[in-house]
Amino acid sequence: MITKRIIPCLDVRNGRVVKGVNFEGLSDVSSPVELAKYYSDNGADELVFYDITASFEERRLFTDILREVAEQIFIPLTVGGGINTVDDFDRVLKCGADKVSVNSGAIRNPDLIREAAELYGNQCVVISADVKRVDGVFHVFAKGGREDTGMEAIEWIKRCVKLGAGEVVVNSIDTDGVKKGFDIEMLKAVCEAVNVPVIASGGAGGINDFVELFREIPDIDAGLAASIFHFGEVAIPDLKQELKKNNITVRL
């Protein structure tokens, strides 16, 4: 049985962690450095750091804050936002990231995935897919969920894995911040389509949502959440104890 990972996500804008609903209405939460250290010390298996407006604002990711975050933690760090070239991969990895997450940059230039995988290895390249239903079809969105690419999401994710992405983060825009549970239908479709680790993102409202996620989709590798961890609604040690009680393998 693969150990299931619990991953807090830091959505960073202007140097602060923020959180919204359905990718909109962002409100200030905390310092990314303080929050990262807290999660590293309190049972998180990994940490995701997104500079959420870098792509939309067409600028490079803030590396000074990233360095500070990387210095404070002792768990794997995945970083995304404004990743458009292999030089961006190089810069972020040199700041302390273990994996690099790419979304809009790969949509513009899918070969970026192949180039980065050849240089740094598949395990380093994470495809982050922001997905929303449009007339009942899963569509990929770019620029922080602002722009419908018109591409069907499952085929796009399969293509990215074929090009060399070693992990997939599925961000459901429909369930983001709503706290009514993960998008099981969407996640099942992705897990059936690819044979690399898949991380569920968007919709966690409580411990039971994680229990349901891992029960309903035994192949899913990790659950990612933001607000329920940031606002103290769920403590990661409590979540892991409950998962263990439900015979779900976690690192305690």
Side-chain angles (χ1 to χ4, degrees):
M1 178 68 76
I2 295 170
T3 302
K4 304 302 183 186
R5 292 173 286 153
I6 302 300
I7 306 175
C9 177
L10 307 181
D11 291 326
V12 179
R13 182 182 69 172
N14 299 329
R16 298 285 293 177
V17 176
V18 295
K19 192 69 194 91
V21 177
N22 304 128
F23 283 35
E24 295 178 351
L26 301 173
S27 57
D28 185 87
V29 177
S30 183
S31 150
V33 180
E34 290 170 16
L35 214 47
K37 186 175 188 317
Y38 171 80
Y39 289 134
S40 181
D41 293 344
N42 284 275
D45 296 299
E46 293 188 18
L47 194 65
V48 169
F49 176 113
Y50 287 139
D51 185 341
I52 58 168
T53 55
S55 289
F56 178 66
E57 294 168 3
E58 297 183 347
R59 60 167 171 77
R60 302 204 306 181
L61 182 142
F62 292 126
T63 48
D64 50 347
I65 295 162
L66 175 56
R67 275 199 190 90
E68 287 184 62
V69 167
E71 285 167 5
Q72 292 294 327
I73 68 172
F74 301 96
I75 52 177
L77 175 63
T78 298
V79 176
I83 306 296
N84 294 299
T85 65
V86 287
D87 286 345
D88 291 329
F89 270 80
D90 187 62
R91 194 165 47 88
V92 167
L93 291 167
K94 282 176 177 167
C95 287
D98 298 282
K99 295 182 274 190
V100 181
S101 174
V102 62
N103 183 347
S104 296
I107 289 166
R108 274 192 294 273
N109 173 25
D111 270 348
L112 174 61
I113 297 169
R114 181 184 51 75
E115 291 167 18
E118 286 173 1
L119 275 171
Y120 304 110
N122 301 59
Q123 81 291 337
C124 181
V125 183
V126 179
I127 184 69
S128 176
D130 295 339
V131 184
K132 185 178 182 180
R133 289 166 181 81
V134 178
D135 298 326
V137 178
F138 296 135
H139 277 209
V140 177
F141 278 66
K143 296 187 177 176
R146 292 173 179 84
E147 187 179 285
D148 185 357
T149 66
M151 289 192 295
E152 198 280 323
I154 307 302
E155 288 306 313
W156 166 245
I157 290 167
K158 281 164 68 175
R159 183 182 176 195
C160 292
V161 170
K162 208 169 181 179
L163 283 165
E167 190 166 79
V168 178
V169 178
V170 184
N171 308 301
S172 171
I173 298 175
D174 294 323
T175 61
D176 174 69
V178 178
K179 300 186 180 180
K180 296 275 180 70
F182 289 99
D183 199 324
I184 301 295
E185 179 195 17
M186 183 186 291
L187 294 162
K188 273 185 177 172
V190 174
C191 286
E192 286 166 7
V194 298
N195 59 357
V196 297
V198 175
I199 298 169
S201 170
I207 287 175
N208 287 338
D209 292 328
F210 285 89
V211 174
E212 182 194 22
L213 172 72
F214 294 126
R215 272 190 180 157
E216 290 287 324
I217 317 175
D219 291 339
I220 202 114
D221 283 74
L224 179 150
S227 55
I228 60 165
F229 296 144
H230 298 343
F231 298 121
E233 294 163 41
V234 172
I236 292 173
D238 296 344
L239 167 57
K240 288 190 167 185
Q241 287 292 348
E242 192 61 32
L243 290 171
K244 190 184 176 196
K245 276 187 207 166
N246 283 273
N247 300 312
I248 296 161
T249 308
V250 289
R251 179 184 68 88
L252 294 174

